């Protein structure tokens, strides 16, 4: 293994320790990841923008700080990839995945990015996302589709697909993502990495000009990593209230200590299909096997029914007005803030986004209100399960074979088993469960009680110890 490959396969925690100890310089860490981007990104297409010179300058400053004996943060010198949606960095191109914003440059830095930089992270680039993050695969009119490094014939998933692919290909050790219907968890499953959707309100979002566009689908930002310990570290930095986020909540959670916790007394509920999702047999086989790891780690595991009482058709019918309206809200804010018109400039807009906007136009407040009844039914059912169990686990995706340029229609609701938990606001992680016999990556969702994000981390870490997934990466 070359020194460059060794550095690009280290966890962020390990890399930061080596930089602090003087075994590796920040400059060496940044250069290794830039070389990896040069080697792999032509095939994967994870990065929209690479901040090579700025990253080199920041690395030189980081090395000088250590030489001067300065106190440094827990991510000092560690390269960081930012999703090109919401994770703004002043002076860096920020496209929102839209050709209409191909030359747009951010004029401010988002709160979570500032916190990560204050902890010493070095922004190495911006990662690909579908336009406005509107769908569960990553493809757009800016740079095209992003592939899963596990199988480049498969899509990386969306909408944080570029971040997940960058991690799996060793082009960055940590990345940001966001999740309105599974956008952290879908690509984590599709690329074999770890994505964590925190309880709504824990990680602040200081988005402007509208601070109130996240409630309908409980949209939240969160970490994407290759290890559970790295996700816990990022959460310890990203979380905490922020005065610019009206949804911010002051809840203290010890994320990092949770990783070492025993799960001997945990009770885990396993739903193979959330009652109604059409899970492929090859996915079910992988997940069935992965779930046995929790018993091996000392937990009690029971297969259960969620008993929400809805058919797949009823759930997807309720999802449509709420989700498409949230996308329409995002487009409207963009139009008001930047003077663009997605419909009038349709030649530069993704067909799938235009179709979603037209669907949203057909839904009114009454449709959204009716969807809230179904949403409440699902919430109550999940709460009932979590009244008796510490965690609920289920597959992340119902299939493991979505192709690079897939055009999902009905499968847009049937493929990701993630969006019901954006209705409920619970903390959910997607951890690698393994590969199908054909080599498709499979993810396992771990759902915790609201504000029990540490329990999700504890059980995730137990899974990682019992079934290490670092063998997924070449």
């Amino acid at each position: 293994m070359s020194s460059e490959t060794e550095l690009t396969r280290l966890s962020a925690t390990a890399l930061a320790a080596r930089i602090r100890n003087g075994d590796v310089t920040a400059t060496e860490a940044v250069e290794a990841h830039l070389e990896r981007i040069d080697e792999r990104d032509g095939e994967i297409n994870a990065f929209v923008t690479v901040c090579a010179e700025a990253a080199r300058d920041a690395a030189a400053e980081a090395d000088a700080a250590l030489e001067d004996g300065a106190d440094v943060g827990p991510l000092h010198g560690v390269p960081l990839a930012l999703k090109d949606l919401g994770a703004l960095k002043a002076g860096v191109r920020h496209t929102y995945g839209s050709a209409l914003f191909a030359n747009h440059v951010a004029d401010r830095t988002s709160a979570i990015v500032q916190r990560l930089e204050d902890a010493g992270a070095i922004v190495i680039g911006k990662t690909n996302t579908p336009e406005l993050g509107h769908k569960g695969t990553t493809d757009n009119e800016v740079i095209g589709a992003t592939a899963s490094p596990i199988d480049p014939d498969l899509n990386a998933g969306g909408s944080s697909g570029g971040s997940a692919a960058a991690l799996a290909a060793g082009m960055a050790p940590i990345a940001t993502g966001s999740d309105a219907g599974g956008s952290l968890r879908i690509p984590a499953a599709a690329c074999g990495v770890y994505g964590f959707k925190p309880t709504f309100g824990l990680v602040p979002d200081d988005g402007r000009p509208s601070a109130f566009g996240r409630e309908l689908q409980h949209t939240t930002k969160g970490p994407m990593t290759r290890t559970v310990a790295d996700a816990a570290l990022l959460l310890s930095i990203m979380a905490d209230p922020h005065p610019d986020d009206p949804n911010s909540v002051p809840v203290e959670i010890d994320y990092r200590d949770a990783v070492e916790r025993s799960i001997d007394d945990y009770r885990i509920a396993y739903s193979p299909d959330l009652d109604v999702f059409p899970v492929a047999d090859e996915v079910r086989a992988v997940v069935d096997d992965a779930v046995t790891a929790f018993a091996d780690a000392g937990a009690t595991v029971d297969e259960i029914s969620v008993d929400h009482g809805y058919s797949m058709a009823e759930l997807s019918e309720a999802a449509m007005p709420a989700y498409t309206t949230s996308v329409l809200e995002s487009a409207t804010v963009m139009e008001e803030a930047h003077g663009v018109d997605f419909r009038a400039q349709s030649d530069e807009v993704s067909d799938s986004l235009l179709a979603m906007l037209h669907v949203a136009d057909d839904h009114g407040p009454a449709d959204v209100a009716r969807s809230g009844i179904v949403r409440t039914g699902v919430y109550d059912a999940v709460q009932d399960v979590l009244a008796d169990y510490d965690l609920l686990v289920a597959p992340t995706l119902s299939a493991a074979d979505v192709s690079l340029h897939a055009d999902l229609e009905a499968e847009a609701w049937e493929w990701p088993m993630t969006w019901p938990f954006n209705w409920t606001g619970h903390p959910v992680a997607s951890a690698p469960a393994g590969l199908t016999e054909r080599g498709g990556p499979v993810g396992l969702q771990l759902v915790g009680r609201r504000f029990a994000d540490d329990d999700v981390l504890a059980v995730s870490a137990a899974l990682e110890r019992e079934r290490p997934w670092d063998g997924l990466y070449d």
Side-chain angles (χ1 to χ4, degrees):
M1 182 182 291
S2 70
S3 59
E4 172 258 311
T5 301
E6 180 185 2
L7 290 179
T8 60
R9 282 306 173 205
L10 288 176
S11 69
T13 305
L15 181 58
R18 290 188 64 179
I19 292 171
R20 285 193 302 273
N21 293 339
D23 296 335
V24 176
T25 66
T27 294
E28 289 170 335
V30 165
E31 288 295 343
H33 287 88
L34 288 174
E35 288 176 21
R36 187 70 171 172
I37 291 170
D38 286 342
E39 291 171 2
R40 295 298 310 276
D41 205 38
E43 177 186 33
I44 303 302
N45 210 32
F47 282 91
V48 180
T49 302
V50 178
C51 307
E53 292 311 310
R56 289 185 175 110
D57 290 345
E61 292 178 8
D63 289 332
L66 280 175
E67 290 174 5
D68 291 342
D71 289 334
V72 298
L75 291 174
H76 190 77
V78 176
L80 165 69
L82 301 177
K83 182 178 180 178
D84 207 27
L85 180 68
L88 301 161
K89 178 167 170 56
V92 175
R93 184 168 73 139
H94 192 85
T95 73
Y96 306 94
S98 173
L100 296 177
F101 293 87
N103 298 311
H104 174 70
V105 175
D107 60 3
R108 68 182 187 89
T109 298
S110 297
I112 62 164
V113 176
Q114 190 63 61
R115 288 178 177 181
L116 291 167
E117 289 190 305
D118 288 346
I122 295 173
V123 174
I124 202 166
K126 305 300 294 295
T127 58
N128 202 25
T129 183
E131 194 163 11
L132 304 190
H134 73 282
K135 62 181 180 178
T137 53
T138 292
D139 195 355
N140 59 31
E141 306 301 310
V142 182
I143 66 167
T146 298
S148 169
I150 290 179
D151 181 349
D153 289 332
L154 302 179
N155 196 276
S159 64
S160 308
S163 286
L167 293 169
M171 295 186 281
I174 51 175
T176 66
S178 56
D179 196 314
S183 291
L184 280 156
R185 293 159 287 151
I186 296 169
C191 294
V193 298
Y194 187 71
F196 195 103
K197 181 186 81 69
T199 302
F200 184 65
L202 285 182
V203 173
D205 189 332
D206 60 338
R208 293 295 184 274
S210 173
F212 296 97
R214 301 190 295 131
E215 292 90 345
L216 194 57
Q217 279 293 125
H218 276 176
T219 303
T220 185
K221 292 177 168 60
M224 303 191 79
T225 61
R226 291 193 295 265
T227 71
V228 179
D230 282 356
L233 172 58
L234 263 63
L235 281 168
S236 72
I237 296 164
M238 297 166 71
D240 274 339
H242 193 284
D244 291 342
D245 182 1
N247 291 302
S248 238
V249 291
V251 177
E252 290 197 13
I253 297 172
D254 195 337
Y255 302 102
R256 299 189 70 182
D257 281 356
V259 174
E260 304 300 327
R261 186 184 301 167
S262 168
I263 65 166
D264 282 352
D265 58 349
Y266 277 61
R267 301 188 69 232
I268 296 174
Y270 170 40
S271 172
D273 57 5
L274 298 179
D275 295 3
V276 294
F277 281 82
V279 177
D281 289 343
E282 61 178 359
V283 171
R284 172 72 188 264
V286 172
V287 174
D288 280 350
D289 182 63
V291 167
T292 64
F294 301 124
D296 294 340
T300 299
V301 182
D302 294 325
E303 186 172 322
I304 59 102
S305 296
V306 180
D307 293 334
H308 50 67
Y310 297 105
S311 67
M312 189 71 231
E314 289 170 329
L315 288 176
S316 57
E317 183 179 353
M320 187 69 80
Y323 188 80
T324 59
T325 297
S326 72
V327 174
L328 178 59
E329 285 182 353
S330 296
T332 301
V333 169
M334 297 288 288
E335 290 175 351
E336 288 292 318
H338 298 284
V340 301
D341 188 325
F342 286 94
R343 294 175 180 83
Q345 297 168 270
S346 59
D347 288 348
E348 298 179 80
V349 177
S350 304
D351 289 343
S352 53
L353 175 59
L354 289 171
M356 193 169 287
L357 295 177
H358 288 306
V359 170
D361 287 336
D362 293 335
H363 292 300
D367 298 307
V368 175
R370 280 189 287 269
S371 74
I373 298 172
V374 179
R375 176 177 179 172
T376 302
V378 172
Y379 174 82
D380 288 346
V382 173
Q383 287 290 88
D384 286 345
V385 171
L386 294 176
D388 294 327
Y389 293 90
D390 297 289
L391 249 73
L392 165 66
V393 299
T396 307
L397 304 171
S398 65
D401 58 356
V402 171
S403 63
L404 181 60
H405 299 288
D407 184 16
L408 301 179
E409 293 182 2
E411 297 91 343
W413 299 115
E414 295 177 352
W415 175 52
M417 298 170 63
T418 51
W419 49 269
F421 302 109
N422 293 88
W423 280 356
T424 68
H426 291 88
V428 192
S430 178
L435 303 176
T436 66
E437 290 186 359
R438 294 186 294 169
V442 176
L444 179 68
Q445 284 192 106
L446 302 96
V447 185
R449 297 174 180 136
R450 281 162 46 81
F451 303 109
D453 299 54
D454 52 336
D455 284 336
V456 177
L457 290 166
V459 177
S460 298
L463 175 65
E464 186 179 19
R465 287 191 294 271
E466 294 290 334
R467 302 290 181 93
W469 53 68
D470 54 359
L472 293 171
Y473 315 125
D474 61 22

